[in-house]
Amino acid sequence: MGEGNKVISDNNFLKDILRKDFFENTDYKGVRIHTRFPPEPNGYLHIGHAKAICIDFSLAQEYNGICNLRMDDTNPGKEEKEYVSSIKEDVRWLGFSWEGGLCYASDYFDFMYDFAVSLIKRGFAYVCNMTQEEVKANRGDTKTPAKSFYRDRPAEESLDLFARMRSGEFPDGAMTVRAKIDLSSGNFNMRDPVIYRICHKSHHRTGDRWCIYPMYDYAHPIEDALEGITHSFCTLEFEDHRPLYNWVVDHMENLTIKPKQIEFARLNVTGMVMSKRKLKKLVDLKLVDGWDDPRMPTICGLRRRGFTPSSIRNFCEKIGVSKVASTVDYKFLEHCLRNDLNLHANRVMAIIDPVNLIITNYPDNKIEELLIENNPNNVSCGNRKVKFSKNLYMERSDFLKESKKGYHRLFPGGKVRLKGAYVVECIGYDLDEDEKVTTVYATYDPETKGGNTREGEKIKGTIHWVEKESAIDATVKIYENLFLADIIPDDFEEVLNPNSLKVVSGCKLEESLASAKIGENFQFMRQGYFCLDNKDSREGSLVFNRSVALKDSYKG
Ligand code: ATP
Ligand code: MG
């Protein structure tokens, strides 16, 4: 990204903290701001992660710091290599790079083990044989301290058991390692939390080397500290875990700088589920066409839908960062996309529901090439040549057998401008046996080339068209929200929108779209913004996704 391209706007509390540390706090003298984005590779990234990515990467960038991409892979069984590569692809696509390096929590398993041993030796941790149920039953309440039956076990005994946990002697759940903190703490996370558990599962990187794995609250501060992270941004649900985070950091030795955890509110968007677990369920139940289904809030889904990286970064900047949870209207995300595409997408002509349009007074074998501008809002997009002949297609909805008040498109006796071509007058039409229009007949006025009008003549309507002989066939997919509710209940299947995907085949597109490329955005004039589907398109049978309709219903 270029200089001065600020993704996160100036007024937010995270920047206040960074500014203070960077410019005033002597602890940070000579230290570069260092952040990290730490996804768990157990699913694909979604628009909520995009907010975290923008915060982690762009704040570091702005203060001349560094940001690591870290796979937080301490949960074997759920994590897969496929997710790791998709995460890298998505972060890169959003426009960020990890000059801090690509890190894996699993690279620190040895350290984490050794550190747990050191905690036990120093009397700060112990092996506990209580079952999960026993721990739960003995957790106490705000007035009663928790009970832990093994906390006074001699360190020697704990060390021996911990080594045997590691060597695979015990089944899952048989024992845990717990930090010895405070059984009467008002913060239940501090009531001797579990820091290691037994889990006989293969890990995507370490294979079967380990059968014990560190818990998130123990692992995360260690990961941050080892990587030299100065500011560890995370979402609000970790606020109550911060004392534990600090406890772990405080018990580490020889740290030049202690990382600090700072929480912000997570992003919610109306009509979208934003948890990998739920998104995975949608995929597993085949309610969508994979993680990259264009209706999904995943980064790869949004990409396939036609969202641009800058529209997403822009969205993340505009929604801001705060400590107060809120839900952003999906229409605002669409609004950000529209603003971007309005400037950058070429206008083209595409007929979604074609009927024939025959220009009866146009020479039979003549083909003209008309020069049409690509984007009236951005001259730098240039012009293109579009073929015109006697035989065209027009949109079914641009014709009425009888006119009505306020109607400015084609009807018998009515005139309309064909975009960039001529003014035509309708002189008749054909119907099939179902009374459906098959062909519209019109005459053209050669004096109106380029869409000009004769002096004194007023033509209110302009419609798009496509030349028949050169037209290409395509299928178009029109999407609506996946859900019919703004806030999605846990049983999300109940609010699934049965009409969220409409597939329209037999569309006729102007010739230039034959060379459309993946990742290119177009405005199908008067219809919406579209892009080539990166999965279902084949040469000779193109599929276009509607990214967003033209009409902006966002009321900002
Ligand atoms: P999910 O519930 O979707 O699985 P998660 O928080 O478990 O989300 P992680 O892979 O652990 O997913 O998240 C990586 C980072 O992204 C974390 O720092 C997390 O706080 C942040 N993040 C996740 N979801 C959101 C969201 N909706 N808004 C902002 N940040 C988010
Ligand atoms: Mg998580």
Side-chain angles (χ1 to χ4, degrees):
M1 243 173 307
E3 281 273 315
N5 190 351
K6 276 191 205 148
V7 176
I8 300 299
S9 52
D10 272 329
N11 297 319
N12 74 64
F13 75 100
L14 298 182
K15 281 199 181 177
D16 292 342
I17 295 172
L18 285 179
R19 263 188 230 115
K20 240 192 155 101
D21 284 343
F22 194 62
F23 295 113
E24 295 168 27
N25 189 341
T26 49
D27 289 352
Y28 291 84
K29 226 181 156 72
V31 177
R32 282 174 88 180
I33 301 279
H34 202 151
T35 60
R36 87 288 170 261
F37 171 63
E40 182 180 353
N42 62 348
Y44 282 67
L45 298 181
H46 51 63
I47 182 79
H49 292 112
K51 173 176 174 175
I53 291 170
C54 287
I55 288 173
D56 295 325
F57 282 94
S58 11
L59 287 186
Q61 228 167 38
E62 217 182 306
Y63 290 89
N64 189 30
I66 347 178
C67 181
N68 296 2
L69 174 61
R70 180 200 308 147
M71 302 297 160
D72 207 340
D73 55 352
T74 55
N75 239 334
K78 286 201 215 145
E79 296 157 359
E80 289 171 28
K81 290 204 163 74
E82 174 198 344
Y83 299 137
V84 171
S85 43
S86 75
I87 289 170
K88 293 200 286 191
E89 183 183 357
D90 290 348
V91 173
R92 237 183 249 124
W93 180 76
L94 280 172
F96 299 104
S97 53
W98 40 93
E99 47 324 338
L102 175 64
C103 309
Y104 291 86
S106 52
D107 283 345
Y108 317 128
F109 280 170
D110 282 301
F111 182 96
M112 289 171 185
Y113 180 82
D114 293 342
F115 180 54
V117 167
S118 126
L119 287 176
I120 295 174
K121 282 186 182 156
R122 289 186 280 157
F124 293 125
Y126 56 95
V127 170
C128 176
N129 296 47
M130 289 167 80
T131 62
Q132 224 173 352
E133 292 72 38
E134 279 175 313
V135 172
K136 213 171 155 193
N138 288 285
R139 69 199 287 265
D141 54 37
T142 42
K143 293 194 188 78
T144 330
K147 287 193 199 108
S148 177
F149 307 142
Y150 298 87
R151 123 185 270 260
D152 297 321
R153 171 175 259 165
E156 289 312 312
E157 199 178 310
S158 283
L159 287 172
D160 173 58
L161 287 169
F162 190 34
R164 288 161 61 195
M165 280 168 70
R166 179 188 185 166
S167 66
E169 206 173 302
F170 309 115
D172 290 4
M175 43 189 94
T176 58
V177 179
R178 293 172 71 178
K180 196 188 236 179
I181 308 182
D182 181 1
L183 291 176
S184 54
S185 173
N187 182 334
F188 281 59
N189 295 309
M190 300 297 270
R191 294 189 171 188
D192 288 14
V194 172
I195 61 172
Y196 257 100
R197 73 207 152 106
I198 302 173
C199 175
H200 290 269
K201 270 187 193 152
S202 278
H203 184 276
H204 76 120
R205 289 183 80 237
T206 57
D208 295 320
R209 207 161 98 69
W210 296 91
C211 61
I212 53 170
Y213 291 93
M215 301 300 286
Y216 179 89
D217 282 341
Y218 169 75
H220 206 84
I222 296 177
E223 295 156 23
D224 284 346
L226 291 181
E227 289 174 18
I229 302 303
T230 55
H231 297 78
S232 177
F233 301 119
C234 65
T235 36
L236 274 183
E237 69 272 20
F238 293 104
E239 199 167 18
D240 284 350
H241 300 238
R242 195 188 331 132
L244 180 50
Y245 182 99
N246 290 338
W247 185 92
V248 174
V249 168
D250 287 340
H251 285 76
M252 291 179 75
E253 286 156 336
N254 308 320
L255 291 183
T256 38
I257 192 110
K258 286 183 183 174
K260 60 180 176 197
Q261 174 182 306
I262 300 154
E263 309 86 15
F264 63 89
R266 67 169 44 224
L267 167 67
N268 296 302
V269 179
T270 58
M272 284 185 156
V273 290
M274 210 78 86
S275 116
K276 281 180 280 188
R277 186 177 51 80
K278 289 183 186 167
L279 294 175
K280 185 164 188 318
K281 196 168 159 196
L282 282 168
V283 173
D284 291 345
L285 294 176
K286 298 206 165 16
L287 296 170
V288 292
D289 170 30
W291 286 94
D292 62 351
D293 185 298
R295 293 164 293 180
M296 291 279 269
T298 48
I299 306 291
C300 54
L302 294 168
R303 174 163 67 233
R304 190 169 162 203
R305 176 83 172 249
F307 276 79
T308 58
S310 52
S311 66
I312 296 177
R313 289 198 305 264
N314 234 332
F315 170 77
C316 291
E317 181 198 326
K318 297 259 164 57
I319 56 174
V321 197
S322 84
K323 279 260 184 201
V324 186
S326 68
T327 300
V328 178
D329 195 334
Y330 176 70
K331 291 193 181 104
F332 184 62
L333 184 57
E334 290 193 315
H335 172 82
C336 292
L337 176 61
R338 239 181 242 114
N339 279 352
D340 188 23
L341 296 185
N342 182 33
L343 277 183
H344 300 114
N346 283 351
R347 276 60 173 161
V348 290
M349 295 196 282
I351 307 291
I352 308 268
D353 185 4
V355 295
N356 296 306
L357 171 61
I358 299 179
I359 312 297
T360 55
N361 61 338
Y362 195 86
D364 275 347
N365 295 315
K366 183 172 171 181
I367 290 185
E368 269 186 276
E369 288 205 318
L370 304 167
L371 208 58
I372 301 186
E373 62 187 341
N374 285 328
N375 187 342
N377 295 333
N378 186 349
V379 279
S380 71
C381 294
N383 301 305
R384 73 189 182 290
K385 285 182 181 156
V386 183
K387 287 193 178 123
F388 184 88
S389 77
K390 181 187 186 94
N391 294 303
L392 310 172
Y393 290 113
M394 66 177 285
E395 204 71 66
R396 179 176 303 281
S397 57
D398 282 334
F399 178 78
L400 279 186
K401 291 176 213 162
E402 278 173 48
S403 182
K404 58 182 184 192
K405 200 166 175 274
Y407 180 78
H408 301 301
R409 287 163 290 156
L410 219 47
F411 59 94
K415 286 185 180 178
V416 81
R417 180 185 299 103
L418 298 181
K419 170 73 189 174
Y422 297 96
V423 170
V424 297
E425 176 172 357
C426 175
I427 54 166
Y429 57 90
D430 287 340
L431 300 177
D432 63 11
E433 53 270 28
D434 301 325
E435 304 270 301
K436 251 182 108 179
V437 176
T438 54
T439 305
V440 174
Y441 298 93
T443 55
Y444 84 117
D445 178 353
E447 298 296 308
T448 58
K449 186 166 177 176
N452 298 319
T453 42
R454 281 176 184 261
E455 236 188 270
E457 192 174 45
K458 213 163 176 188
I459 304 294
K460 282 201 170 152
T462 299
I463 64 172
H464 59 284
W465 51 275
V466 165
E467 198 278 325
K468 187 166 182 170
E469 184 70 26
S470 58
I472 56 170
D473 291 301
T475 297
V476 152
K477 292 186 178 173
I478 309 280
Y479 301 98
E480 280 177 36
N481 287 355
L482 198 50
F483 299 106
L484 288 169
D486 278 351
I487 310 292
I488 319 293
D490 270 343
D491 294 332
F492 55 73
E493 284 135 285
E494 285 170 18
V495 293
L496 218 53
N497 178 1
N499 302 315
S500 60
L501 167 63
K502 195 168 111 196
V503 181
V504 190
S505 54
C507 306
K508 301 287 182 183
L509 317 185
E510 68 168 67
E511 198 180 9
S512 72
L513 283 165
S515 59
K517 289 181 196 59
I518 303 290
E520 228 179 329
N521 299 89
F522 301 94
Q523 184 191 103
F524 286 8
M525 270 186 63
R526 303 173 61 226
Q527 316 263 19
Y529 291 99
F530 288 75
C531 68
L532 195 62
D533 189 284
N534 63 19
K535 214 168 167 183
D536 295 342
S537 273
R538 304 278 173 278
E539 207 176 314
S541 84
L542 300 183
V543 178
F544 283 84
N545 293 321
R546 187 172 77 181
S547 315
V548 65
L550 286 183
K551 197 169 156 1
D552 196 339
S553 50
Y554 174 71
K555 300 195 176 53

